[in-house]
Coordinates of all heavy atoms in Angstrom, one line a residue:
G34 N 16.1 -7.9 -12.1 CA 16.4 -8.3 -10.8 C 17.8 -8.7 -10.4 O 18.0 -9.1 -9.4
P55 N 28.8 -6.2 -2.8 CA 28.7 -4.9 -3.5 C 29.3 -4.9 -5.0 O 30.3 -5.7 -5.1 CB 29.7 -3.9 -2.7 CG 29.7 -4.7 -1.2 CD 29.6 -6.2 -1.6
L69 N 15.5 6.8 -6.5 CA 16.3 6.0 -7.5 C 15.2 5.4 -8.4 O 14.1 5.1 -8.1 CB 17.0 4.9 -6.8 CG 18.0 5.2 -5.7 CD1 18.4 3.9 -5.0 CD2 19.2 5.7 -6.2
T80 N 18.9 9.2 -10.4 CA 18.9 9.4 -9.0 C 18.6 10.9 -8.9 O 19.1 11.8 -9.6 CB 20.4 9.1 -8.5 OG1 21.4 10.0 -8.9 CG2 20.8 7.7 -8.6
I129 N 6.5 19.4 -10.3 CA 6.9 18.3 -10.9 C 7.5 18.6 -12.3 O 7.0 19.6 -13.0 CB 5.7 17.3 -11.1 CG1 5.1 17.0 -10.0 CG2 6.1 16.0 -11.9 CD1 3.7 16.6 -10.0
D168 N 0.5 18.8 0.9 CA -0.7 19.6 1.0 C -1.9 18.5 1.2 O -3.0 18.9 1.1 CB -1.0 20.4 -0.1 CG -1.1 19.6 -1.5 OD1 -1.3 18.4 -1.5 OD2 -1.1 20.4 -2.5
S170 N -3.0 16.1 -0.7 CA -3.7 15.8 -1.9 C -3.0 14.9 -2.8 O -1.8 14.8 -2.8 CB -4.2 17.0 -2.7 OG -3.0 17.6 -3.4
R172 N -2.9 14.2 -6.9 CA -3.3 14.9 -8.2 C -2.9 14.0 -9.4 O -1.9 13.4 -9.4 CB -2.5 16.2 -8.4 CG -3.1 17.4 -7.5 CD -2.4 18.7 -7.9 NE -2.9 19.8 -7.0 CZ -3.9 20.6 -7.5 NH1 -4.1 20.5 -8.9 NH2 -4.4 21.5 -6.7
A176 N 0.1 13.5 -18.7 CA 1.5 13.5 -18.9 C 2.1 14.0 -20.3 O 3.2 14.4 -20.4 CB 2.2 12.1 -18.7
G187 N -9.0 13.0 0.1 CA -9.4 12.2 1.1 C -8.4 12.0 2.4 O -8.8 11.8 3.5
D210 N -1.4 10.0 7.6 CA -2.7 9.6 8.4 C -2.8 8.1 8.8 O -3.9 7.7 9.2 CB -4.0 10.1 7.7 CG -4.2 9.3 6.4 OD1 -3.6 8.3 6.0 OD2 -5.1 9.8 5.6
H234 N -1.7 -0.2 9.5 CA -0.5 0.4 10.0 C -0.8 1.3 11.2 O -1.8 2.0 11.3 CB 0.1 1.4 8.8 CG 1.0 0.5 7.9 ND1 2.3 -0.1 8.1 CD2 0.7 0.3 6.5 CE1 2.6 -0.7 7.2 NE2 1.7 -0.5 6.1
L249 N -0.2 -5.5 -3.3 CA 0.5 -4.3 -2.8 C 1.3 -4.6 -1.6 O 0.9 -5.2 -0.5 CB -0.7 -3.3 -2.5 CG -0.3 -1.9 -2.0 CD1 0.5 -1.2 -3.2 CD2 -1.5 -1.1 -1.6
I284 N 10.5 -4.0 -5.0 CA 10.1 -5.4 -5.4 C 10.7 -5.8 -6.6 O 10.8 -5.0 -7.6 CB 8.5 -5.4 -5.5 CG1 7.7 -5.1 -4.2 CG2 8.1 -6.7 -6.0 CD1 6.2 -4.8 -4.4
S285 N 11.2 -6.9 -6.6 CA 12.0 -7.4 -7.8 C 10.9 -8.1 -8.8 O 10.0 -8.7 -8.3 CB 13.0 -8.6 -7.4 OG 13.5 -9.2 -8.5

Side-chain angles (χ1 to χ4, degrees):
L69 306 166
T80 62
I129 300 154
D168 66 13
S170 75
R172 286 181 175 261
D210 66 11
H234 280 288
L249 180 67
I284 297 176
S285 173

